[in-house]
């Protein structure tokens, strides 16, 4: 039983900032990649950013220099700091984790999604 609870979404003006959080609980043996995806209306879900257990990061070109991903392993939590937000950042943001178990290998889990709306 693995649960991901997201928080921090909301309405923000262009140029503003938001910080998303995603806390994982349950059968967590070894968390590998954690990250964030987003899906705008009518679009496919796309990668925003990921962070490995070694804190290596990957960012979509559209958010480089504006978004920062971080993780707190003691709290099993991943964060997304979003600065200089643009209207095109408006989407539902989904937390993602990949967990390794010795008998089953890697398993993927998703949060419920949190709405981020950037509008003046």
């Amino acid at each position: 039983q693995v649960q991901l609870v997201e928080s921090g979404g909301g309405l923000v003006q262009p140029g503003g900032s938001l910080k998303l959080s995603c806390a994982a609980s349950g059968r967590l043996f070894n968390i590998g990649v954690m990250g964030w995806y987003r899906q705008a209306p009518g679009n496919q879900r796309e990668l925003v950013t990921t962070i490995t257990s070694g804190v290596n990061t990957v960012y979509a070109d559209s958010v480089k220099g504006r978004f920062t991903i971080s993780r707190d392993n003691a709290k099993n939590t991943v964060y997304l700091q979003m600065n200089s937000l643009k209207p095109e950042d408006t989407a539902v943001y989904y937390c993602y984790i990949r967990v390794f178990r010795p008998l089953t290998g890697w398993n993927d889990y998703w949060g419920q999604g949190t709405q981020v709306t950037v509008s003046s």
Side-chain angles (χ1 to χ4, degrees):
Q1 183 180 6
V2 174
Q3 296 178 337
L4 302 178
V5 179
E6 300 182 33
S7 63
L11 175 65
V12 65
Q13 66 187 43
S17 298
L18 284 174
K19 187 173 184 178
L20 307 183
S21 299
C22 177
S25 63
R27 297 181 180 181
L28 305 174
F29 294 86
N30 181 23
I31 300 177
V33 174
M34 307 182 76
W36 296 90
Y37 288 69
R38 68 186 181 186
Q39 187 169 18
N43 294 349
Q44 296 184 3
R45 188 174 299 185
E46 65 177 6
L47 171 73
V48 177
T49 177
T50 60
I51 183 168
T52 69
S53 59
V55 299
N56 293 317
T57 58
V58 173
Y59 293 93
D61 289 340
S62 59
V63 306
K64 286 181 179 177
R66 300 187 299 117
F67 290 11
T68 303
I69 188 172
S70 61
R71 61 190 288 176
D72 185 336
N73 291 327
K75 298 180 179 179
N76 294 321
T77 300
V78 62
Y79 305 93
L80 181 63
Q81 178 66 50
M82 303 183 292
N83 299 324
S84 302
L85 283 162
K86 305 174 181 179
E88 50 263 44
D89 295 319
T90 296
V92 177
Y93 284 70
Y94 295 91
C95 174
Y96 160 83
I97 67 169
R98 196 177 191 196
V99 178
F100 181 82
R101 298 186 178 91
L103 295 180
T104 61
W106 294 102
N107 296 274
D108 298 331
Y109 300 93
W110 295 88
Q112 81 280 4
T114 185
Q115 177 70 48
V116 172
T117 301
V118 184
S119 177
S120 60

